[in-house]
Amino acid sequence: FVSAHPLDLEATLATLELVRKHGYTPVFVGRYYARLLDKQLETAGVDLEEELLLAIMRTTDADLTLPRFRTVYISELKERKLAVFIPPHNVKAIRTFAEALDTESGGLLHVTVLGEPLSEEWVVEEKKVENWLEIMGVTSIRLHVSGHYMPHEFKDIVGVVMPKKIIPIHTKAPNTMLALFKNL
């Protein structure tokens, strides 16, 4: 399960590319999420080579037609390796989806791809979601994608990416960032 902010088209597209690269079928849950992504893709003029799937559970939801999505029943997805995109904080969708696939929620993985918390309330909401996921036995990982890193996070990123060169942008201390990079 993947949660990205519905307005972060760049993070959603990058995540789609990554999950497809590793053999997962991306599936979206939630009419609002799908409508918003469809509109963003239209506005940005982005044409995806592969179709997007919108999972539904009831025949009453089957009337939703979006140009870039094919509507499927969750039951049609049982034999696929899935990356299920859900809106942030929609823990109920994980349980509902798992039940529809006759799968236990224990052992599932939820990845949150978000930037900075928008407010103190956002931090509290994230903690609530994390607690519910823990109760359900779902492993939760939060990926920080804003570019504002603490030095220990920066070190981890440099260790994984191993860039030959770094160009600090969007910073008031580019020399500090370059010095930190040289030390790593």
Side-chain angles (χ1 to χ4, degrees), residues 57-139:
M57 291 188 56
R58 299 178 306 269
T59 55
T60 55
D61 293 330
D63 64 343
L64 179 65
T65 55
L66 298 169
R68 289 158 190 80
F69 282 85
R70 182 167 62 93
T71 304
V72 296
Y73 291 103
I74 293 175
S75 58
E76 297 175 48
L77 303 170
K78 284 188 177 188
E79 303 303 318
R80 298 192 189 192
K81 187 175 165 184
L82 301 174
V84 183
F85 287 73
I86 64 170
H89 310 310
N90 192 353
V91 176
K92 183 179 177 186
I94 294 176
R95 175 159 286 180
T96 303
F97 209 87
E99 288 172 354
L101 293 175
D102 295 323
T103 302
E104 292 291 323
S105 59
L108 296 176
L109 177 64
H110 178 257
V111 180
T112 305
V113 184
L114 294 172
E116 297 290 334
L118 302 176
S119 65
E120 289 181 20
E121 291 83 11
W122 186 265
V123 173
V124 172
E125 287 299 314
E126 277 191 307
K127 188 62 179 167
K128 285 174 25 183
V129 168
E130 188 178 300
N131 289 339
W132 277 112
L133 291 171
E134 186 177 325
I135 289 169
M136 290 177 8
V138 176
T139 301

Side-chain angles (χ1 to χ4, degrees), residues 15-81:
T15 306
L16 280 170
E17 183 180 329
L18 184 64
V19 299
R20 283 189 174 130
K21 178 182 172 184
H22 291 282
Y24 288 85
T25 299
V27 175
F28 287 79
V29 174
R31 293 169 150 234
Y32 172 78
Y33 205 179
R35 276 190 190 119
L36 189 56
L37 179 59
D38 191 65
K39 189 66 174 170
Q40 287 174 322
L41 292 170
E42 177 188 337
T43 302
V46 175
D47 289 321
L48 301 176
E49 291 180 20
E50 297 169 14
E51 69 182 350
L52 296 171
L53 300 178
L54 172 62
I56 60 171
M57 291 188 56
R58 299 178 306 269
T59 55
T60 55
D61 293 330
D63 64 343
L64 179 65
T65 55
L66 298 169
R68 289 158 190 80
F69 282 85
R70 182 167 62 93
T71 304
V72 296
Y73 291 103
I74 293 175
S75 58
E76 297 175 48
L77 303 170
K78 284 188 177 188
E79 303 303 318
R80 298 192 189 192
K81 187 175 165 184

Side-chain angles (χ1 to χ4, degrees), residues 150-162 184:
M150 299 298 289
H152 69 278
E153 293 172 318
F154 184 68
K155 181 178 179 182
D156 291 344
I157 292 167
V158 170
V160 170
V161 177
M162 297 176 49
L184 300 174

